[in-house]
Amino acid sequence: MLLTADLHVHSRFSRATARDLCFASLHRAALMKGLGLVATGDFTHPGWLAEIEEQLEPAEDGLFRLKADLARAASADLPPVCRGDVRFVLEVEISSIYKQADRVRKNHNLVYMPSLDAARRFNEALGRVGNLASDGRPILGLASRDLLEIALEADARAFLVPAHIWTPWFSVLGSKSGFDGLDECFGDLAHHVFAAETGLSSDPPMNWRVSALDRLTLISNSDAHSAAKLGREANLLDIEPGFGALRRALETREGFLGTVEFFPEEGKYHLDGHRKCGARLNPDETRASGGKCPVCGAAVTVGVMSRVEDLADRPSGVRPENASPFTSLVPLDELAGEALGVGAGSKKARDLVEKALFAIGPELHVLKDAPIEDVRTAGGPALAEAVRRVRAGELHIEAGYDGEFGVVRIFGPGERDHLAGQTSFSRGTSPAACSEGEATRFRSNLSPARAASRSDKATGGDGAGVHDAYAEWTAPVPGPVAIQRPARDSRAACSDPLDGLDEGQRAMATEPTGPLLVVAGPGTGKTRSLVARMAFHVREGRVHPEQVLAIAFTNQAAQELKERVARSVPGARPGAPLVTTFHGFGLGLLREVTGADVRILDDDERLEVLETEAGEGLAKAGLKALLERLSLAKQERDPRAALASYPEILGAYDRYEAGLSRMGAVDVDDLVARPLALLDASPDVSRRVSSRFGMVLVDEYQDVNDAQAALVAHLAPFGRTLAVIGDPNQAIYGFRGAQPGHFARFKEAFGRAREVRLKVTYRLTAQVLEAARAIAGDCVLLAARKTGPKVEIVGCPSAQAEAREIATRIERLVGGTNSLASSAMRTAGAEPEAIGFGEAAVLVRLKTQRVPILEALGRAGIPCRAIGEDEPHDPRSQKVAVMTMHAAKGREFEAVFIAGCEEGLMPLALEGFAVDEAEERRLLYVALTRARHMAVVTHASRRAVFGRSLPGRPSPFLAAIPDETAPRTVARAPASRPGGKQLSLF
DNA sequence: ACGAGGTTAATTTTT
DNA sequence: TTAACCTCGT
């Protein structure tokens, strides 16, 4: 069965699409164009999927059709010759923006699903990657390869087709953010890709020049954003309707009869150029001008023709053996416009098209196959001649470039009037010469024989012959397309541990004995030095890996440290060196001593115990507050002593503890408190434990509490085996019992302690460092990195405006999330290296601040994630992290946004809570020093926190940052939108 | 048992 | 402001 298929369309849920793009209008448009199979588009969007489920019904194997009553209504006023069946296939276009091999890649891919169940599985998996509701064409921070993997996991019959593969901004081979080959993009899964969409700006002969594409079926689709554009490119199939047959046709070309195409010159990105200046360049001219706009000197947008030449390994005119046939056409409304001398969208042109459709049949039939006589009868001589010339390739096109469509001219001046006056048309009339720029051309001067092969019937002839328009720009055949896999990290597992260390790091690594105190500011290579110390001493034979203990605070930090230890410490094996957290270590010790498993209560269970034991007359909140007090007390050396002056709390403590022991359970605080009590009580046990470790390392020592410090003292008596590392400026956990005094008084506590300072920061730029210094006061650091942009302090009118401002800036940092923005960005001037979504973070003081920010990012289609929320998340996806400043500790990002730097929020001053100004200051310091490249600090004039309005003044901490270090700017107030809230007069 | 309506309390986080 | 929690009435 012959089917003309348009396999890439969108719904009204995609950005910049027609409001009325629904199934009824798709159905109608398909019939008017002559399409038997149309893609649904956008099936990942919940709104559109609901319409699919509601308005479509299953037809043959994996295909769908509009429900009968809807179909009847939709086609009621169609030309009778156009009525028929339309099938739909589940399809979606995914915009992947991600960093791979140090470059931001932007690819669009089409994914096809064989059933609704498969689509739902796919949607569920992708829902963990990004926000599918924000756009029918979702933007995900997911590599194309991983997208393909997820598609195949959803259903093995699913398939992926790279979309408009040559366009500069968003395609697999694009000049701006693409790859040089499919293997590089899809890696080990490349063999699952068997078709590629060539896009409007290229046609098959251009693609034939790249032999790496020979194995792919080249398909053509409309990428329609409105019903009117449906079917402007399409595929001719001879298959039994069904998903399986469709897939087979694209995979094996069995039943794939070829494509219907735009003339590629009509496409938006055919040539190179700079739209702002009206400069259009062919590849030779681009080369000659060094890729610069001849008018303004900005970089030109490199179009499809140039890109094809870059990757071509064949001269033009070569037709691969199994290439599919194609036909080049011009949309009928454009021909009608030409015939009438009016615009393609005008009422007159529309009426003429309609007349032709009623008399002859669907548009593709009129354009491609209908007898010219019939066209003349229905549409007049000018339209008939226009159709004839298009079929013969006798037309003139000003080629498109830099987002500008090409312009088709069929008739020369006066010709149209002449034709209109004729009743019959004699051949041989040639259009008058046009005077357009050098990249324009006539097809009319082609010999009739060659012109006829415009409509290539795959009879083994030279189908590329007529496309000599770019043959004339062909450079000597370049070498074959280099397709390389990214090099694997093949560094030797354990090279010299001191390699590449600076003076301070080396000192820390080699200092022979403890006690050793290391002051390590942000980005000074703390972890690296820690690992180097272990590796060096193990290699020197001073300790065995089994004798090394490294303690971090969080599981995450411990995990990271473990991985690096495994890579760098000679003889490392799981468990040796022992890399763990305080709690992990304590748990191990408890298990060892008690010889039994230990039951650890979670927060809810703790509350229950407290409630039954000591909760009389307490509300939930009171209970929580009490537990908090007990928890803080348990982090001290002697909890009972700490509570001695609060008899009723002490009583609660005793009853709570009694409850725990009756249950044979412990709480998290006990994981430190119990081992400590044990070691305090038994010098013998203490000695046995400490003798096991010849080297003890403690990370983030500025955050230890009393119990932890005491435990450390047991593990490393007199500090002989002890090295601690930390940064007093980053002590931010006082509220939960941390005592930075242990770091400050380390040297008094352990006599003869040596101190090493890591002074060079490899993370911070001079600008960020300067701003950080203004906040923290005394940090002695040198920035090793080249300078970056200044730290910016941005005032915003409201919290919502602040969120929008951040979204806009992130959009800019990734180099634009759509082609319009991308080209605008290029035009805006210097093009900084784009960053990936995973390299940006928004830091806030309170979790509640995350809401408007996540909303604004979501609205902008930016993949983002609230850190600290248990939400389903695919680790393969790259997302902007939105998190509290606390959660950001120990992490780094290229770009950091610090939101809500205002009086009341920074320092945080909530009613009923004591303000710890010094700790808040350090918190801002921590936030600022997460930035590798740039930091943007924002504050809002209007913000409510927990129903209370803040004063709206910038944080007093910011005053210390000089203007030269951090320029103050103001966010542009958003344009008031119609439909927004009106000011009431009353 | 459930729903309407009133009241209250609201950081930062790890094990 | 908001959401969870409580109380009271049916």
Side-chain angles (χ1 to χ4, degrees):
Chain A
M1 180 174 171
L2 285 171
L3 281 177
T4 306
D6 184 350
L7 301 173
H8 179 180
V9 307
H10 289 282
S11 76
R12 65 179 190 286
F13 294 100
S14 280
R15 221 144 290 197
T17 57
R19 289 256 184 85
D20 63 351
L21 209 33
C22 57
F23 278 111
S25 61
L26 282 172
H27 178 91
R28 278 175 59 86
L31 291 177
M32 289 198 291
K33 296 284 175 177
L35 300 171
L37 176 58
V38 178
T40 60
D42 298 1
F43 74 73
T44 54
H45 193 281
W48 190 237
L49 185 66
E51 290 190 19
I52 291 173
E53 290 165 339
E54 213 176 277
Q55 299 176 18
L56 302 188
E57 60 186 15
E60 308 82 1
D61 162 45
L63 299 188
F64 299 83
R65 65 173 154 242
L66 195 58
K67 283 183 177 165
D69 49 332
L70 297 171
R72 219 174 302 119
S75 52
D77 57 342
L78 284 184
V81 280
C82 291
R83 303 217 180 127
D85 283 339
V86 180
R87 297 289 182 261
F88 290 95
V89 59
L90 294 166
E91 171 265 346
V92 66
E93 181 182 31
I94 306 285
S95 179
S96 277
I97 303 183
Y98 58 104
K99 200 136 195 182
Q100 183 173 316
D102 269 343
R103 277 187 58 199
V104 172
R105 317 291 179 157
K106 300 181 187 173
N107 297 170
H108 285 183
N109 292 294
L110 309 173
V111 174
Y112 298 85
M113 282 292 154
S115 70
L116 271 173
D117 279 342
R120 290 188 200 107
R121 281 194 296 276
F122 182 67
N123 290 355
E124 201 194 325
L126 276 201
R128 287 189 279 271
V129 172
N131 182 1
L132 301 182
S134 69
D135 198 324
R137 180 215 277 147
I139 301 170
L140 303 177
L142 184 70
S144 294
R145 183 224 166 262
D146 296 337
L147 175 69
L148 174 53
E149 182 175 58
I150 290 173
L152 294 172
E153 279 165 8
D155 195 303
R157 290 174 300 160
F159 61 94
L160 178 150
V161 177
H164 42 70
I165 55 173
W166 292 106
T167 55
W169 305 105
F170 288 93
S171 72
V172 61
L173 300 178
S175 61
K176 284 287 170 182
S177 352
F179 296 88
D180 286 346
L182 262 64
D183 288 1
E184 198 185 332
C185 176
F186 292 100
D188 56 320
L189 300 183
H191 62 282
H192 287 282
V193 178
F194 46 75
E197 185 190 70
T198 56
L200 298 185
S201 298
S202 82
D203 64 357
M206 291 168 70
N207 288 273
W208 295 341
R209 297 193 50 200
V210 180
S211 63
L213 301 179
D214 287 355
R215 68 173 195 84
L216 302 176
T217 303
L218 301 173
I219 70 172
S220 285
N221 302 301
S222 70
D223 195 356
H225 286 211
S226 66
K229 304 280 187 193
L230 198 70
R232 56 185 173 179
E233 296 204 332
N235 308 283
L236 306 177
L237 306 172
D238 184 9
I239 57 172
E240 281 320 302
F243 185 90
L246 171 66
R247 189 192 147 118
R248 204 173 321 118
L250 299 191
E251 191 170 5
T252 65
R253 285 176 236 183
E254 183 187 321
F256 187 83
L257 302 186
T259 55
V260 177
E261 306 259 340
F262 257 37
F263 287 89
E265 297 84 348
E266 230 192 311
K268 282 177 175 184
Y269 292 105
H270 186 67
L271 294 186
D272 313 330
H274 189 204
R275 178 163 38 160
K276 276 261 172 65
C277 298
R280 168 177 31 208
L281 285 75
N282 66 39
D284 277 344
E285 291 167 331
T286 302
R287 228 166 286 139
S289 74
K292 298 277 187 286
C293 169
V295 181
C296 73
V300 300
T301 298
V302 174
V304 166
M305 180 61 75
S306 268
R307 188 62 184 150
V308 168
E309 287 196 1
D310 285 346
L311 299 186
D313 56 352
R314 289 197 188 118
S316 70
V318 176
R319 186 199 162 99
E321 202 145 282
N322 55 352
S324 301
F326 71 101
T327 307
S328 300
L329 296 175
V330 172
L332 191 55
D333 58 350
E334 287 180 33
L335 298 187
E338 272 289 291
L340 298 168
V342 298
S346 66
K347 179 80 171 59
K348 278 164 119 183
R350 278 209 313 271
D351 287 349
L352 181 54
V353 168
E354 196 174 310
K355 231 163 94 185
L357 296 196
F358 265 89
I360 306 171
E363 175 172 336
L364 285 171
H365 173 69
V366 173
L367 288 171
K368 209 156 58 81
D369 309 311
I372 292 292
E373 271 316 312
D374 292 359
V375 182
R376 183 173 299 116
T377 313
L383 186 66
E385 174 60 6
V387 170
R388 187 198 67 74
R389 287 193 187 176
V390 166
R391 289 186 191 170
E394 297 171 13
L395 70 165
H396 166 83
I397 304 174
E398 276 172 61
Y401 67 100
D402 195 14
E404 197 81 28
F405 274 112
V407 179
V408 173
R409 299 240 181 284
I410 309 273
F411 299 116
E415 253 196 306
R416 187 162 31 232
D417 300 337
H418 179 62
L419 272 167
Q422 278 180 253
T423 45
S424 73
F425 181 73
S426 65
R427 274 178 154 244
T429 317
S430 81
C434 290
S435 57
E436 269 79 17
E438 53 291 324
T440 67
R441 67 200 173 94
F442 288 107
R443 292 192 186 257
S444 52
N445 57 3
L446 299 171
S447 71
R450 292 183 77 193
S453 73
R454 242 343 297 171
S455 193
D456 179 300
K457 298 296 183 201
T459 48
D462 176 12
V466 293
H467 277 252
D468 51 4
Y470 50 85
E472 69 198 54
W473 300 323
T474 305
V477 184
V481 188
I483 297 174
Q484 290 180 335
R485 284 164 192 281
R488 294 282 310 256
D489 186 351
S490 58
R491 268 173 303 168
C494 299
S495 51
D496 184 346
L498 303 182
D499 258 3
L501 297 190
D502 68 27
E503 198 188 324
Q505 295 169 337
R506 193 173 284 248
M508 160 159 192
T510 55
E511 185 62 42
T513 59
L516 175 65
L517 175 76
V518 183
V519 184
T524 51
K526 192 168 56 122
T527 309
R528 187 173 188 198
S529 314
L530 261 169
V531 174
R533 182 167 175 80
M534 296 184 228
F536 177 78
H537 286 262
V538 167
R539 198 198 59 178
E540 296 294 296
R542 296 184 193 166
V543 284
H544 287 290
E546 292 75 26
Q547 296 173 300
V548 178
L549 168 66
I551 300 176
F553 263 82
T554 63
N555 279 325
Q556 196 196 321
Q559 193 52 43
E560 255 178 67
L561 195 54
K562 252 183 223 171
E563 280 159 25
R564 290 178 66 162
V565 163
R567 260 186 285 143
S568 309
V569 175
R573 51 177 184 80
L578 180 57
V579 182
T580 180
T581 61
F582 274 108
H583 296 88
F585 179 81
L587 179 62
L589 197 66
L590 276 185
R591 282 198 177 127
E592 203 175 298
V593 172
T594 61
D597 207 13
V598 181
R599 183 174 165 215
I600 308 166
L601 301 188
D602 67 22
D603 275 2
D604 288 339
E605 294 168 318
R606 291 177 78 173
L607 273 174
E608 271 171 46
V609 174
L610 185 61
E611 188 170 20
T612 48
E613 301 297 330
E616 61 274 0
L618 276 178
K620 183 112 181 231
L623 216 53
K624 273 189 177 166
L626 178 59
L627 184 61
E628 182 99 18
R629 287 294 299 271
L630 299 188
S631 176
L632 283 173
K634 290 181 75 165
Q635 295 178 50
E636 303 206 19
R637 271 225 75 148
D638 183 349
R640 297 198 79 253
L643 295 172
S645 40
Y646 309 94
E648 63 295 358
I649 301 182
L650 182 59
Y653 169 80
D654 287 336
R655 273 171 276 161
Y656 171 72
E657 289 293 298
L660 288 184
S661 27
R662 244 182 293 121
M663 293 172 72
V666 299
D667 63 21
V668 275
D669 299 316
D670 284 328
L671 295 181
V672 177
R674 297 258 172 135
L676 177 60
L678 209 72
L679 298 175
D680 276 347
S682 164
D684 184 48
V685 176
S686 178
R687 212 173 308 116
R688 283 216 315 271
V689 172
S690 65
S691 66
R692 279 220 310 253
F693 302 109
M695 173 177 270
V696 177
L697 299 145
V698 184
D699 194 10
E700 307 274 22
Y701 196 76
Q702 79 284 351
D703 280 332
V704 292
N705 56 40
D706 289 347
Q708 288 161 337
L711 185 63
V712 168
H714 274 292
L715 299 177
F718 310 108
R720 271 193 315 272
T721 56
L722 180 62
V724 304
I725 188 164
D727 180 2
N729 286 327
Q730 295 188 60
I732 56 172
Y733 284 110
F735 71 92
R736 69 170 203 222
Q739 299 282 352
H742 290 294
F743 192 92
R745 293 190 307 272
F746 183 82
K747 286 197 273 190
E748 288 101 89
F750 297 92
R752 328 174 321 279
R754 257 156 286 196
E755 178 181 317
V756 168
R757 282 178 182 262
L758 305 186
K759 293 202 185 97
V760 185
T761 172
Y762 299 90
R763 175 192 305 154
L764 308 185
T765 62
Q767 287 83 356
V768 173
L769 177 59
E770 237 172 275
R773 205 175 267 143
I775 302 287
D778 63 333
C779 68
V780 193
L781 282 177
L782 295 166
R785 293 184 61 229
K786 65 178 179 357
T787 61
K790 290 208 184 304
V791 175
E792 199 176 330
I793 298 177
V794 185
C796 309
S798 67
Q800 281 68 31
E802 174 188 59
R804 276 194 299 270
E805 175 72 13
I806 290 169
T808 308
R809 283 170 181 258
I810 291 176
E811 220 165 26
R812 219 182 296 156
L813 283 174
V814 301
T817 52
N818 60 56
S819 54
L820 218 72
S822 296
S823 76
M825 234 133 266
R826 190 282 324 276
T827 311
E831 195 173 1
E833 192 54 41
I835 66 163
F837 292 122
E839 296 172 313
V842 185
L843 309 186
V844 295
R845 180 62 185 85
L846 297 180
K847 279 183 176 176
T848 153
Q849 288 174 259
R850 297 180 309 192
V851 175
I853 292 165
L854 291 165
E855 280 171 1
L857 294 179
R859 250 180 277 122
I862 296 170
C864 56
R865 180 159 99 99
I867 306 292
E869 208 109 289
D870 305 326
E871 47 175 349
H873 165 72
D874 188 313
R876 288 170 291 197
S877 66
Q878 301 172 11
K879 292 175 178 170
V880 173
V882 182
M883 64 174 110
T884 62
M885 300 179 189
H886 285 91
K889 193 173 179 206
R891 306 192 53 176
E892 65 173 23
F893 304 91
E894 288 299 319
V896 167
F897 294 83
I898 303 175
C901 262
E902 293 143 44
E903 212 178 299
L905 266 178
M906 179 49 66
L908 182 69
L910 287 179
E911 244 185 314
F913 291 93
V915 181
D916 185 340
E917 200 179 303
E919 183 156 306
E920 295 285 316
R921 190 178 277 281
R922 293 193 295 266
L923 189 54
L924 183 57
Y925 175 83
V926 167
L928 209 47
T929 55
R930 302 307 95 199
R932 272 184 64 80
H933 180 64
M934 54 171 291
V936 178
V937 177
T938 57
H939 54 85
S941 309
R942 263 182 305 114
R943 184 192 315 269
V945 172
F946 303 131
R948 282 199 131 76
S949 290
L950 299 187
R953 289 184 289 271
S955 162
F957 294 163
L958 300 180
I961 309 178
D963 283 1
E964 309 83 69
T965 308
R968 272 67 172 171
T969 59
V970 175
R972 199 175 56 82
S976 61
R977 284 183 297 111
K981 260 199 190 141
Q982 300 274 325
L983 270 182
S984 166
L985 287 173
F986 303 102

